Structure formats: structure tokens, C-alpha cells
Amino acid sequence: MSAPDPNEEQNEFWNDVGGPRWVDGQVDLDERLDPFGNAAIDAAHVEPGESVLDIGCGCGSSSLALAERVGPQGSVLGLDLSAPMLARARERGEGVAQLRFELGDAQVYPFEAQSVDLVFSRFGVMFFADPAAAFANLKRSMRPDGRIAFVCWQGLEKNPWMAVPLSVTAQHVPPPPPPGPGTPGPLAFADPDLVRETLGSAGFRDVELTAYSPDVNVGRSVEEAVGFLTELGPSSRLLRDAPAEVRAAVATDLAEALGPFADDNGVELGSGAWIVTARCG
């Protein structure tokens, strides 16, 4: 008998549903998420020649940015559960000698011990079924002076770009019960104390969280914003199995709700993220 997959639900979602959608929307998603990833890369102080792990690398945008920072003398390994997203990442990274991608779960992946200078993630660490096990496994891959840097979302109240569409959608589709702290999902690490506790228990020290709160342009028009927020954004899971008439009603109400946020630059809503850095203990 094979061992059970500790992240089976996430594995299934990112290969069967989420991954293909993110591949289709890769350009738009990177446009919206790259500022967060780049801010975290800046906070990581990546140096030429370093060895980096990019956890939850998705379609490869952050891995490509990291590969540029480490240069030809360094190395970047992008790891993700999603085969469709990795296929896109490999296409984008073709010809970058210091960059490679692997399919795997960071909780159990057999990393080479003490081989990595930096573990990085752009919104990838919040989906661990067992965060303590995952971070302990990542720490084993790091050199004694290694460091970790990632970006994760703050709470829903700090993220109108999530809260507005979710509020509208909840008027048509019954939302699931609020997830508990640490439950795998976009807001798993919203609580800074939980982040500190999780990293501390895995053996990290000097844990620092810095708020990063840019406005997010969710579309060049209200129509485009509605499409993004319902197909790829926070409402997408709620609407996955909704009938056409419900999706149409959500789109109509969401367009009305987004109207006050629209101007000549498009539709912009506030966001809140944590940029987290720490060192091996």
C-alpha cells in the first residue's frame, strides 16, 4: 500500500481545477501578483551565486525573477504540486541554465540536506496541510546560515479585493463556514502570531513580518474585473459548480459593487499582505 498523500485535497485542486485556470490566466495573475513577489524577493536580499528553493512556484514568474538575481553561478529549484502550472513554468524557463522545476510537495519532498541558501515563496506556503512538518522539512534543506522569505495574505478585513467579491457572491451562494486559523487556504497565515509560532517551532529565529499593502488593479474595466474576480479570484471556488443563472446574477451585482472603485486606471481595491523573513536557528 502506498502512503497517504498528506496534501491530497490541494494536490487534486491544483492539478484538476485551479492549475489549468491559473495557466489560462497566467499573464493577468502575474501582473497582479508580481509586485508582492518582487517585494518579498527584495526583502530576501538575494545574492549572485546563491542556491534558492521557490516553493509553490506555480507558472514560474517568481522563479524567473530569482534566477535573474542569482545569475549563472547560482541555482533555483521551483517546486509545485501542479503539473499544468509547471508545464507553463518550464516553457517560460527554457534556456535559463540555473533554473529547473520539479513536481512535488514541500512537506515530504526529499531535499538534499543543507544545500540551500534561501527558501522563498510567493503565496505558496499557506496551502500546507501540515505547516509544522513542511517548514521542518524545508529547514533541513537549508545551510546553517540559511534564511527564508515569503509573502502571505493578511486577514480578509485588510483585503477589500477579496472581501468585496466574496460578500457579493455570498448573497447568491451559501459560503462555507469560516476556516479556522492555519486551515490550508489563502488566509491560513493571516495571524502574525501563528506565523511566528509555526516558524519558531520548526527551528527558525529572527522572524520578522512587514506589512505590504498596495492597491491591486483587478481589471482595466469593470467588466474585466468581474471576469477576473469570478474566474480566478476569491469567488471562483464558490462559483465552481454554480448554475449559469447564479453566475450571471453574481456578475451583475459585482459590477455594481465595483463601480465606485473604477477610474481611468481601471478598478483598484486595497490589499494587505505580510512579507515574512527568518533565519535558521
Side-chain angles (χ1 to χ4, degrees):
M1 294 179 62
S2 60
D5 181 351
N7 228 13
E8 182 176 0
E9 182 179 352
Q10 296 297 330
N11 196 347
E12 181 178 344
F13 176 78
W14 289 108
N15 278 282
D16 297 343
V17 180
R21 283 186 176 179
W22 277 56
V23 170
D24 290 341
Q26 174 250 310
V27 174
D28 286 341
L29 284 162
D30 285 343
E31 181 180 339
R32 291 163 175 91
L33 298 181
D34 275 351
F36 296 90
N38 292 337
I41 290 174
D42 288 341
H45 302 294
V46 185
E47 297 290 338
E50 288 193 313
S51 174
V52 182
L53 288 178
D54 186 12
I55 301 302
C57 65
C59 294
S61 183
S62 53
S63 299
L64 287 162
L66 288 163
E68 184 175 351
R69 297 284 184 105
V70 302
Q73 301 306 313
S75 66
V76 175
L77 169 60
L79 187 75
D80 204 282
L81 288 170
S82 174
M85 296 173 79
L86 284 178
R88 174 59 58 84
R90 291 186 176 110
E91 290 175 4
R92 301 174 70 194
E94 187 174 358
V96 182
Q98 67 268 33
L99 175 60
R100 63 187 178 93
F101 295 98
E102 293 287 344
L103 181 71
D105 183 349
Q107 295 177 155
V108 296
Y109 190 86
F111 299 110
E112 181 182 351
Q114 297 190 8
S115 61
V116 175
D117 298 297
L118 171 69
V119 170
F120 179 85
S121 182
R122 187 191 80 175
F123 299 119
V125 298
M126 305 97 69
F127 299 96
F128 294 145
D130 187 343
F135 282 111
N137 191 39
L138 290 172
K139 185 175 180 293
R140 284 190 289 271
S141 76
M142 300 167 68
R143 298 191 172 104
D145 59 347
R147 60 204 193 281
I148 188 169
F150 60 85
V151 59
C152 59
W153 296 115
Q154 296 185 39
L156 197 60
E157 71 282 358
K158 298 288 187 180
N159 282 285
W161 82 273
M162 298 184 194
V164 170
L166 285 173
S167 176
V168 170
T169 305
Q171 298 174 28
H172 299 271
V173 180
T183 301
L187 304 179
F189 281 164
D191 182 352
D193 291 334
L194 178 62
V195 175
R196 294 186 185 97
E197 178 184 347
T198 302
L199 290 176
S201 66
F204 291 93
R205 60 178 174 84
D206 300 335
V207 180
E208 296 186 5
L209 290 89
T210 302
Y212 182 66
S213 305
D215 287 341
V216 177
N217 188 309
V218 294
R220 288 172 283 272
S221 66
V222 169
E223 182 181 11
E224 183 178 302
V226 169
F228 170 72
L229 293 171
T230 56
E231 294 296 327
L232 293 166
S235 294
S236 60
R237 287 201 187 193
L238 292 179
L239 293 170
R240 186 193 315 173
D241 299 319
E245 60 270 21
V246 171
R247 298 180 67 88
V250 170
T252 297
D253 289 354
L254 183 55
E256 182 177 350
L258 293 176
F261 300 96
D263 59 23
D264 291 342
N265 295 320
V267 182
E268 295 187 343
L269 293 94
S271 76
W274 295 118
I275 294 177
V276 183
T277 58
R279 292 187 172 274
C280 284

